[in-house]
Amino acid sequence: MVSGKTMNVRVTTMDAELEFAIQQTTTGKQLFDQVVKTIGLREVWFFGLQYTDSKGDLTWIKLYKKVVNQDVKKENPLQFKFRAKFYPEDVAEELIQDITLRLFYLQVKNAIVGDEIYCPPETSVLLASYAVQARYGDYNKTVHTPGCLDEDRLLPKRVLDQHKMSKTEWEQSIMTWWHEHRGMLREDAMMEYLKIAQDLEMYGVNYFDIRNKKGTELYLGVDALGLNIYEKDDKLTPKIGFPWSEIRNISFNERKFIIKPIDKKAPDFVFFAPRVRINKRILALCMGNHELYMRRRKPDTIDVQQMKAQARDEKLAKQQQREKLQLEIAARERAEKKQQEYMDKLKQMEEEMNRSQASLQEAQEMIRRLEEQLKQLQAAKDEHEKKQMELQEMMMRLEETKNMEAAERQKLEDEIMAKQEEVMRIQEEVEAKDNETKRLQEEVEAARQKAEELRAQQLANATKGHLEENQQDEDDEVVNGDISKDLDTDENIVDPVEDRKTLAERNERLQDQLLALKQDLAQSRDETKETQMDKIHRENVRQGRDKYKTLREIRKGNTKRRVDQFENM
């Protein structure tokens, strides 16, 4: 681990591993500065270095103390985690750099999927769809085939266990909502994820085991908005709350922690931690959160103003690049669509030509049959004329042979009658063939008219297509700190939860999305797998509570009443 005067250190961020060789004289701040410089992070006030101490507890590094003198577990290399220590009140207002956004997003997502932050099933699926957009970008059916999300951790195990759904069904549910985010930048998808996640009750809260003077076991929750007290069996619903603007001094003496309110009439808010070390952590978190709370209510420093201006410029450039890419994609899609239209039109014309060819062949066959029929008719007429002449000759012979014997005349009369019958028969055949010929002539004329109409229609369609294509072408031109600390106060600060609403309450579309998901998931829900957290959440929803409504409720009344309430818990 130690080579001369250097030590090996490994720092794990949410998406990378960094290794450094540091001096034995290196302080926590020098190591921290080296990390943020390496990853290009400027919003340093949210973050800290975390390590596992000799007792197995996670501890934040002290900035102004040598690394070698801190209670870091002795291993080679020394292990640290770079994590968010403090959370913003509103991610959309405060997070400036993409790297800051990404680190927060990955840390919060990890906490939700790991069930460290309780998230109801319908919200989990919607968040998962934003996570997929953040990782893969727009859904593409040719690339994102079934099974493409198998390796992604997207949902809490609790949610998976509570629903009788296959892997494929979960994937389909997430993909359905993924389609909705088409065109959204990856960074915007991360921001949308955090905007929904920050309304979850456990988001950004550090919980500590404490007792009041009566010895009742409780939780203290420390977050960006203040201090909250929770009963031991419910981390979702705080029972008493104190905004940072009500606190003027924090201190501890051994295991006893003392919070002095601004209201001089109110007694001190006193609780007891299991160990002194816990009180040190509580003090450091209180100081850091309070400092950020006050800083938010002052004008931005020059450094922050510059960062915001740079972030705006970078976002604009990225947006323009994205728009250019979208235009290129749209142009390609239009070209592909036009090509497909040409191919479809060509296919249609081929089919029409084939139909026309078939009609033409049919007409030609009909004409051939008509010509044959005419020949037969002419032959029948010739035969008819011949027989008539023969009959006339016989009649003449009959006239000439009036003086013939009776037997010969009878024979001649029989022949004449037979000949007359034959002439009649041939006459009927001629008339029948004449009628058939007329019918065929009518069919040929109808077929010819149909062929002309078909050619006219093809010509009209071809002209119309060119007009549409020409029109389309024209359209194409288109804080880290340590025993008793006085805190800055400002009597004019209004508690931010007074008018704070969840994103779902402000956004009707999000309400509809969550309701639709809830109804879909209800069909496969296994009620026997419901956890205590699920029951608490369901009851809170039934009573119309959400994170900010609850905070408003528990901060009502004067400070003295709330301190007394805490003492009586």
Side-chain angles (χ1 to χ4, degrees):
M1 183 177 71
V2 180
S3 174
K5 293 185 178 181
T6 64
M7 296 178 294
N8 297 320
V9 170
R10 177 178 295 149
V11 178
T12 308
T13 71
M14 289 306 301
D15 61 354
E17 273 193 359
L18 311 173
E19 296 209 357
F20 306 99
I22 63 169
Q23 305 295 319
Q24 292 200 29
T25 55
T26 300
T27 63
K29 185 175 188 312
Q30 288 170 330
L31 176 58
F32 181 85
D33 289 345
Q34 199 167 351
V35 173
V36 297
K37 184 178 179 182
T38 302
I39 64 175
L41 179 77
R42 294 176 66 187
E43 294 169 88
V44 296
W45 45 86
F46 292 119
F47 297 89
L49 286 171
Q50 209 174 43
Y51 64 88
T52 304
D53 64 20
S54 58
K55 290 185 171 61
D57 294 329
L58 280 174
T59 307
W60 294 101
I61 201 169
K62 293 179 178 61
L63 292 185
Y64 298 101
K65 189 175 179 181
K66 292 177 183 177
V67 174
V68 72
N69 292 338
Q70 303 196 41
D71 189 21
V72 186
K73 185 180 177 183
K74 299 299 184 280
E75 52 187 332
N76 186 22
L78 295 176
Q79 303 281 347
F80 293 92
K81 290 179 181 177
F82 185 81
R83 295 290 184 269
K85 185 176 182 180
F86 304 104
Y87 286 72
E89 282 180 29
D90 187 340
V91 289
E93 293 292 326
E94 293 179 56
L95 300 186
I96 304 170
Q97 288 184 286
D98 285 348
I99 179 68
T100 315
L101 171 65
R102 179 171 176 77
L103 291 174
F104 262 106
Y105 159 73
L106 291 171
Q107 186 165 330
V108 171
K109 174 177 168 285
N110 201 49
I112 288 173
V113 173
D115 230 3
E116 295 166 34
I117 296 174
Y118 174 82
C119 184
E122 62 275 13
T123 310
S124 298
V125 174
L126 187 58
L127 288 177
S129 70
Y130 280 112
V132 174
Q133 180 73 17
R135 179 167 184 182
Y136 298 107
D138 286 347
Y139 171 77
N140 183 333
K141 65 181 179 182
T142 58
V143 177
H144 305 122
T145 52
C148 67
L149 304 182
D150 283 355
E151 301 304 313
D152 293 281
R153 280 183 74 229
L154 296 168
L155 297 167
K157 185 176 182 298
R158 164 183 53 82
V159 172
L160 296 172
D161 292 344
Q162 285 172 348
H163 297 83
K164 296 170 182 174
M165 288 171 67
S166 65
K167 247 183 167 185
T168 306
E169 288 171 324
W170 280 118
E171 184 180 82
Q172 188 55 52
S173 181
I174 292 169
M175 279 186 162
T176 299
W177 295 98
W178 182 11
H179 294 178
E180 297 270 319
H181 311 321
R182 184 170 183 79
M184 186 179 288
L185 292 171
R186 294 172 192 244
E187 290 78 14
D188 289 344
M190 293 180 201
M191 180 58 80
E192 288 303 314
Y193 188 104
L194 288 175
K195 280 162 66 177
I196 295 170
Q198 71 181 354
D199 291 336
L200 298 173
E201 292 85 348
M202 295 177 69
Y203 166 89
V205 181
N206 285 277
Y207 294 91
F208 296 94
D209 291 310
I210 61 165
R211 294 173 186 262
N212 61 9
K213 289 176 183 176
K214 285 172 64 176
T216 307
E217 292 186 355
L218 302 162
Y219 283 121
L220 171 74
V222 183
D223 70 7
L225 296 166
L227 300 173
N228 297 313
I229 304 299
Y230 300 79
E231 290 178 340
K232 203 66 178 172
D233 60 352
D234 181 3
K235 283 185 172 182
L236 289 179
T237 324
K239 299 300 183 282
I240 304 168
F242 302 90
W244 292 117
S245 54
E246 285 188 5
I247 300 168
R248 63 182 172 87
N249 178 276
I250 49 177
S251 63
F252 69 88
N253 183 3
E254 296 296 325
R255 294 187 302 111
K256 181 180 181 181
F257 203 101
I258 304 161
I259 295 172
K260 294 184 180 296
I262 286 177
D263 183 357
K264 299 290 178 66
K265 295 176 183 177
D268 292 345
F269 172 40
V270 178
F271 59 81
F272 299 86
R275 299 192 301 276
V276 175
R277 183 176 295 204
I278 301 297
N279 273 341
K280 288 182 178 179
R281 290 175 193 160
I282 294 172
L283 183 78
L285 276 173
C286 286
M287 287 174 60
N289 274 302
H290 183 275
E291 183 182 337
L292 289 173
Y293 182 89
M294 298 304 291
R295 190 191 293 181
R296 289 180 193 110
R297 283 147 185 87
K298 295 175 183 176
D300 289 337
T301 63
I302 297 296
D303 191 36
V304 170
Q305 289 176 30
Q306 289 174 345
M307 285 166 61
K308 285 184 175 179
Q310 183 181 344
R312 278 194 301 271
D313 291 344
E314 287 174 357
K315 185 167 186 178
L316 181 62
K318 194 175 289 184
Q319 192 66 41
Q320 289 171 341
Q321 187 178 1
R322 169 81 175 189
E323 287 170 1
K324 184 181 176 184
L325 180 62
Q326 291 294 95
L327 285 172
E328 289 172 358
I329 291 171
R332 188 176 72 240
E333 286 176 350
R334 283 199 302 272
E336 289 172 354
K337 185 180 177 184
K338 196 176 290 182
Q339 184 181 14
Q340 187 61 44
E341 286 174 358
Y342 285 149
M343 289 175 71
D344 292 343
K345 197 167 292 179
L346 184 62
K347 186 178 178 183
Q348 183 183 352
M349 289 174 74
E350 284 176 355
E351 289 172 354
E352 287 174 353
M353 284 175 68
N354 289 336
R355 283 197 298 272
S356 299
Q357 190 67 28
S359 299
L360 184 62
Q361 287 174 354
E362 188 180 339
Q364 287 172 342
E365 175 61 22
M366 211 173 284
I367 290 167
R368 188 192 63 76
R369 281 165 50 204
L370 180 60
E371 288 173 348
E372 183 67 28
Q373 189 77 18
L374 287 170
K375 284 179 184 177
Q376 291 176 8
L377 179 62
Q378 189 61 45
K381 282 182 178 180
D382 293 345
E383 180 69 14
H384 182 250
E385 285 177 5
K386 181 182 175 185
K387 296 296 181 185
Q388 275 187 327
M389 287 179 69
E390 289 177 357
L391 180 61
Q392 284 175 358
E393 285 176 6
M394 285 182 179
M395 292 296 287
M396 288 173 67
R397 279 169 54 204
L398 179 64
E399 195 65 34
E400 291 172 358
T401 56
K402 283 181 181 178
N403 300 321
M404 280 184 184
E405 291 181 5
E408 286 180 356
R409 192 167 61 234
Q410 184 64 44
K411 180 182 175 186
L412 184 59
E413 285 176 355
D414 289 343
E415 286 178 3
I416 289 171
M417 187 172 288
K419 186 64 69 175
Q420 283 176 330
E421 287 174 356
E422 188 177 359
V423 168
M424 288 292 292
R425 181 182 59 76
I426 292 171
Q427 178 70 31
E428 287 172 359
E429 285 180 5
V430 168
E431 287 175 359
K433 288 183 183 296
D434 199 27
N435 291 334
E436 176 67 14
T437 301
K438 286 178 182 177
R439 187 185 64 78
L440 279 171
Q441 283 176 327
E442 287 171 359
E443 287 184 11
V444 168
E445 180 61 24
R448 185 187 62 75
Q449 287 181 355
K450 185 178 178 183
E452 286 181 0
E453 287 172 6
L454 193 60
R455 280 195 294 272
Q457 185 64 41
Q458 286 174 346
L459 184 62
N461 286 343
T463 308
K464 184 181 177 184
H466 286 167
L467 285 174
E468 285 176 350
E469 288 153 17
N470 290 339
Q471 186 177 358
Q472 184 64 52
D473 288 339
E474 287 170 13
D475 289 346
D476 288 351
E477 296 297 328
V478 223
V479 190
N480 302 296
D482 272 332
I483 312 294
S484 174
K485 299 291 180 182
D486 288 326
L487 304 177
D488 290 340
T489 58
D490 184 345
E491 293 178 0
N492 297 318
I493 290 177
V494 177
D495 186 356
V497 304
E498 281 302 317
D499 56 358
R500 182 84 179 256
K501 293 181 180 179
T502 63
L503 185 62
E505 194 176 359
R506 289 180 278 126
N507 188 320
E508 195 172 326
R509 182 168 176 268
L510 177 57
Q511 283 180 37
D512 294 341
Q513 288 176 328
L514 291 172
L515 181 61
L517 270 165
K518 192 171 187 175
Q519 290 169 346
D520 287 345
L521 293 173
Q523 299 170 20
S524 61
R525 189 170 176 82
D526 184 352
E527 300 293 344
T528 63
K529 301 287 180 67
E530 192 175 51
T531 66
Q532 182 64 22
M533 286 282 206
D534 293 312
K535 292 174 183 174
I536 293 168
H537 173 74
R538 181 158 45 81
E539 181 59 21
N540 284 344
V541 170
R542 191 186 69 78
Q543 294 189 20
R545 293 196 197 111
D546 63 35
K547 179 175 181 175
Y548 305 111
K549 287 176 183 174
T550 300
L551 289 176
R552 281 194 287 277
E553 186 64 31
I554 65 170
R555 293 178 177 189
K556 282 183 178 176
N558 59 40
T559 311
K560 181 180 184 305
R561 187 187 70 79
R562 279 174 277 143
V563 173
D564 290 343
Q565 186 182 345
F566 169 70
E567 297 294 354
N568 290 318
M569 287 180 79

